[in-house]
Amino acid sequence: MPSKLITALVISLSVAACGGGGGGGGGGSSLPAPVAAQQDTSPPVITLTGDSSVRIVEGETYEELGATAQDDVDGAINVTVSGDVGSEPGVYIVTYSATDAAGNASEITREVIVVADPSCGIASQVQFVKQVSESYYYWYDELADVDAEDYSDPSQYLSAIMQPIWNDGTGRDPGFSYLTTIEDDTQRFTSGAFFGYGVRYRIIDNNFYFADSYEEGPAHTAGIRRGQRLLAVKRDGEADFETWDELVARNAELPSAVFGTRGELQTTVFRVEYEGVESEISVTTAETTTPPLAGEALVIERNNGTPVGYINFRTFIDAADGPLRAAATKFRDAGVTDLIIDLRYNGGGLVRVAETFLNLLAGDTANGELSYIVNLNDKHQDQNSTANFSPLAETFSPLRIAFITTGGSASASELLINGLDPHIELAIVGSETSGKAVGQYAFDLDPDECETRLRLIAFEIQNGEGQGGYFTGLVSTGRFTFFEAADDSTRPFGDAQEDSFEAAFNWLSGNQQRALGVKSTKQRPAEPTPVAGFDASWPVNEDAPLNPDGSVRSF
């Protein structure tokens, strides 16, 4: 470290010469006065990182933001932080001090205000989850007995009390209860809005295929279609493509390996192949909605007999009401009596939309009869409800319905099938359904003050004859005619050679050849599709887990 006492002594010798003859001359020298010593008397300057006054809620942890100090001689120097911030409401002072080499000291403080826990504070959220779960959760008496005060995260507390049910192997609730926000939940069940590409995918023979592309979404507009195989991807900001084989070899994780960071504006280039033709498609993410129907409702002519109707129904959201009514009118006007309803990626949604669809299909056939029963736990039997079939203006009366399903067909989709079963001849084609025989209510902590919403399994869904409890899927109940078929994502929806569509059409047309290959209409279903959080990650060569609400993931 340089000395802070600087003494300068400059000795200057000056020689003067005089012109002249043989005479002698004289000369002289002088010493300047010493320069006065320069001493460091300025203290360092301390600058807080962040605000000088910080407010946190009781129960939250104060995170130190720190400070920096700069001295005009020493430069950057260390800052010492002192003072504790307690957990009780009050005002706490954190002190920041710094001293330079000359002994000059500075001090500055930050005020930390701990306020009492309001309705939206962590402690209140944990108590909210505790009280609602112990009252309304369908299997409330099986919740784990843990101390709520041990948890500073309401989601972690919810997970802790749910462990006995989530992990009991019955499949009745593999994670369908979760915390969300009012805004996100409202978007999910009204328009299905999210920020992304507007696609779904499937893994077939260790290859990635786009399985769905939402009409008018950014991916669909750019040219992404069901059936395209992903060869390589160039993520936003990267110069080179990474091939699918390279992604698999390095054990990459989805969704980031293919789709980038969730919810961000980004442009990704997908190299795809379809029917031997390769192309590169650039897609920029955008605000995207989920169209309730995949394409138009189709009327398919048959050589003998009435036409067959086909509808691919993605989700039971409010926006589905108009398209469902329009499709029913189209089928009625075309004289359709046999119908294929494709629910392979429909994870359910609103019960009121399911009720509308039930009435569009059987409002006349089963007029006045019970269509479904909502049964709560024994603490809230007074809140049970029922619905009766009644015709709507657009109601038509199909004689037979083939439902195409997968492990992603859940909740309201299963309610629809189960509710129609006593009244219309039907078959399930594809693979076992999800087994979500229960439904969630939305509970809000304080909608005027905060966004916290708890989606909780609070009721079982039964058909009008009281049949429910299909926690391993509808097929495994043995009550349904079942034809096994693949979800062939290499072909478009409604393609005559797509495995599930072909099997459904054959059954409706009286051709049982495809069905005879099935071992049993009651065969053991495949392993259920797992459920994971909205922000989950998983291996790149695996199908996506279901969302906590039971829906098939969109990207």
Side-chain angles (χ1 to χ4, degrees), residues 47-55 62-67 92 94 96 108-113:
T47 303
L48 292 176
T49 301
D51 297 331
S52 61
S53 181
V54 175
R55 182 182 296 265
Y62 169 68
E63 296 183 1
E64 177 54 55
L65 299 175
Y92 300 86
V94 179
Y96 305 83
I108 193 172
T109 61
R110 189 197 314 271
E111 177 186 68
V112 180
I113 304 171

Side-chain angles (χ1 to χ4, degrees), residues 364-421:
D364 281 327
T365 304
N367 188 11
E369 298 187 48
L370 279 177
S371 59
Y372 67 86
I373 300 167
V374 172
N375 182 55
L376 281 72
N377 66 33
D378 58 9
K379 292 185 177 182
H380 299 285
Q381 286 291 294
D382 59 324
Q383 297 178 33
N384 288 353
S385 62
T386 62
N388 295 80
F389 284 102
S390 62
L392 304 174
E394 302 85 357
T395 294
F396 85 114
S397 301
L399 300 178
R400 296 187 300 172
I401 302 176
F403 287 98
I404 296 176
T405 66
T406 66
S409 307
S411 195
S413 287
E414 293 168 299
L415 183 160
L416 179 70
I417 299 169
N418 195 43
L420 291 173
D421 179 48

Side-chain angles (χ1 to χ4, degrees), residues 104-171:
N104 301 306
S106 292
E107 186 175 280
I108 193 172
T109 61
R110 189 197 314 271
E111 177 186 68
V112 180
I113 304 171
V114 180
V115 297
D117 187 7
S119 62
C120 292
I122 299 298
S124 290
Q125 291 184 53
V126 171
Q127 286 301 313
F128 165 68
V129 172
K130 173 180 172 63
Q131 292 167 6
V132 175
S133 299
E134 291 177 352
S135 177
Y136 275 95
Y137 186 63
Y138 194 67
W139 299 284
Y140 69 89
D141 55 341
E142 298 180 47
L143 295 172
D145 184 15
V146 299
D147 189 348
E149 294 185 0
D150 291 341
Y151 293 86
S152 58
D153 184 321
S155 291
Q156 291 179 0
Y157 172 70
L158 177 64
S159 176
I161 63 175
M162 292 291 172
Q163 288 306 305
I165 301 96
W166 286 357
N167 297 311
D168 67 357
T170 64

Side-chain angles (χ1 to χ4, degrees), residues 243-395:
T243 69
W244 172 251
D245 289 339
E246 289 170 340
L247 290 170
V248 173
R250 70 175 176 88
N251 297 316
E253 289 191 336
L254 284 171
S256 59
V258 173
F259 300 111
T261 305
R262 290 181 180 90
E264 289 193 1
L265 178 64
Q266 55 197 315
T267 298
T268 303
V269 183
F270 302 100
R271 182 181 295 155
V272 299
E273 177 272 330
Y274 184 69
E275 294 184 339
V277 178
E278 294 187 14
S279 57
E280 293 181 2
I281 302 173
S282 178
V283 185
T284 300
T285 55
E287 184 74 16
T288 304
T289 59
T290 306
L293 303 188
E296 299 291 327
L298 302 178
V299 175
I300 304 166
E301 299 295 335
R302 286 187 287 192
N303 293 331
N304 298 309
T306 57
V308 174
Y310 173 77
I311 181 173
N312 186 303
F313 187 31
R314 286 193 180 105
T315 179
F316 290 79
I317 58 177
D318 283 329
D321 186 86
L324 288 176
R325 292 173 185 266
T329 300
K330 182 176 184 177
F331 295 147
R332 182 185 61 195
D333 294 346
V336 167
T337 57
D338 288 347
L339 183 61
I340 300 173
I341 300 179
D342 197 333
L343 300 173
R344 72 182 76 195
Y345 303 145
N346 192 321
L350 299 173
V351 173
R352 61 175 175 266
V353 179
E355 182 175 353
T356 296
F357 207 2
L358 285 165
N359 288 328
L360 287 171
L361 298 172
D364 281 327
T365 304
N367 188 11
E369 298 187 48
L370 279 177
S371 59
Y372 67 86
I373 300 167
V374 172
N375 182 55
L376 281 72
N377 66 33
D378 58 9
K379 292 185 177 182
H380 299 285
Q381 286 291 294
D382 59 324
Q383 297 178 33
N384 288 353
S385 62
T386 62
N388 295 80
F389 284 102
S390 62
L392 304 174
E394 302 85 357
T395 294

Side-chain angles (χ1 to χ4, degrees), residues 491-505:
R491 295 182 179 276
F493 294 128
D495 185 287
Q497 293 181 306
E498 194 277 318
D499 204 50
S500 291
F501 179 90
E502 184 182 9
F505 192 87

